Structure formats: structure tokens, C-alpha cells
Amino acid sequence: MRRRQRGLSSIELMMGVAIMAILLAGGLPSFQAWIQGMRLRATAESVISGLQIARAEALKRNARVRLTLGDSDGNPVWRVGCVNVSPDCPAQIQSRPLEGGGGVRLGADATPVSSPPPASAFVVALRAGAGLPGDVTFDGFGRMPASAAGVDIARIDIMSAVSGAARRLVIAVGGGQFRLCDPALSAASSAQGC
């Protein structure tokens, strides 16, 4: 009596591998876009974290504290320090590169953004490195001083250095408040929209 063999033949196994390869190749562009979107989001959240730290330090020290963002190439990095250095208020309180990994660049603009911004306010992307390094200053009340208007950063674009067609995020800064939004979405139809 002959035993029946169990398992897969080499042809069946090769067909399975070929089907898996086709499915993975079809999903790869979506996966890469998702990864890039996550990097942009992580960088945006890191910028917001720096803004929150600078504002909290200004309130805690009852002094002007400045967040300096990026470098002239648009590389993501931030530093928090006091404007008027004293023993109680050092020039550098905290510094760190932004999270999110490679392939992310920043652009900034000091033109004040009205609240609420018009629908066309964020249609055109800023150039990577534009307006950087730049500052956002908070006074002892946690607000942006009026003397900083037009000088300090009012808008930060977080964009992909790899693909110009990739998602872009915007942080609008004003009056001690900041808001992260997606310019691809309408503010009228989505809470995440600009």
C-alpha cells in the first residue's frame, strides 16, 4: 500500500511566491507614502512640542523665551533659550533634532496669519529652508509679544525632501497659540484642514 504524500509541490510553492510578490509590489507605493506621511507627522509633533516647551519655560521663568527653529538648509532641529540671559534664565534651556527621520524639510515665513486664515492662505508651499533659521518668542504671559510680529515665524511648512507630491503639513503660529493643519483639506469640511 502506497502512502499519499502531503505538502506542496515545487510548482505550487513557486505560484504562491509569485502571487505574493505581485501583491507586495502593488502595495509598496502606498506603504512608502504612508511611511513618509508618518515622518511628516512626527516632525510636526516635534515642532509643536518645542513650541509648547518654549511657552511653558516663558511662563515658568516669567521671562522672554525663544524657540529657534531649523537651519538654512531646512533641516529639522530646534533650540529653546532665554532672550535676556541671566543666572536664572540660560541661553540654552533645551535643544534637540526633530523626530521623524530623514527626508523631511522645513520652511518658515514671518508674515502674520489672520485668524481664521482665508482658504487660500496655505495653497502655495514654502521653499525648504526659507525663513530659517527663524525664531518664535514668548513673553512671561505665554504670548507672542507685539514687537515680534512680522519678525518671528508665523507659519511653518513641514514637507518631504524626497517627493514634491507628498503630503505637506502647516503649523500656524500667532498670539501664543499654534495650530497644525493639512492644506490638502478644507477647514470647512475637516477639523484637520487649513
Side-chain angles (χ1 to χ4, degrees):
M1 183 182 243
R2 226 170 83 147
R3 272 200 222 164
R4 187 165 189 257
Q5 288 185 342
R6 296 181 180 240
L8 300 173
S9 70
S10 60
I11 299 223
E12 291 170 330
L13 188 60
M14 300 253 304
M15 289 299 289
V17 169
I19 290 170
M20 288 299 290
I22 290 169
L23 291 174
L24 286 174
L28 190 60
S30 297
F31 183 70
Q32 289 173 332
W34 178 76
I35 292 290
Q36 189 60 33
M38 294 305 292
R39 286 181 177 154
L40 291 174
R41 182 73 183 187
T43 301
E45 288 174 356
S46 188
V47 170
I48 288 175
S49 174
L51 289 165
Q52 290 171 336
I53 288 169
R55 186 172 185 266
E57 288 291 336
L59 288 166
K60 179 174 103 175
R61 297 170 189 277
N62 194 24
R64 284 189 175 202
V65 173
R66 175 178 294 144
L67 170 96
T68 302
L69 183 64
D71 62 17
S72 59
D73 293 327
N75 291 315
V77 62
W78 58 256
R79 293 174 299 283
V80 173
C82 293
V83 174
N84 300 316
V85 179
S86 70
D88 295 329
C89 202
Q92 183 167 317
I93 298 169
Q94 205 173 119
S95 174
R96 77 170 80 151
L98 297 177
E99 298 166 14
V104 178
R105 293 289 179 262
L106 304 174
D109 188 18
T111 306
V113 179
S114 62
S115 183
S120 62
F122 306 117
V123 171
V124 178
L126 299 175
R127 181 184 53 78
L132 296 176
D135 300 322
V136 178
T137 305
F138 295 96
D139 64 15
F141 296 109
R143 296 182 302 222
M144 292 175 65
S147 61
V151 177
D152 275 3
I153 294 172
R155 170 186 168 183
I156 304 163
D157 279 20
I158 299 109
M159 64 208 86
S160 172
V162 179
S163 169
R167 182 175 168 205
R168 175 175 59 100
L169 298 173
V170 174
I171 300 173
V173 181
Q177 302 295 317
F178 23 92
R179 181 175 185 272
L180 174 64
C181 63
D182 187 342
L185 304 173
S186 167
S189 62
S190 173
Q192 297 173 347
C194 288

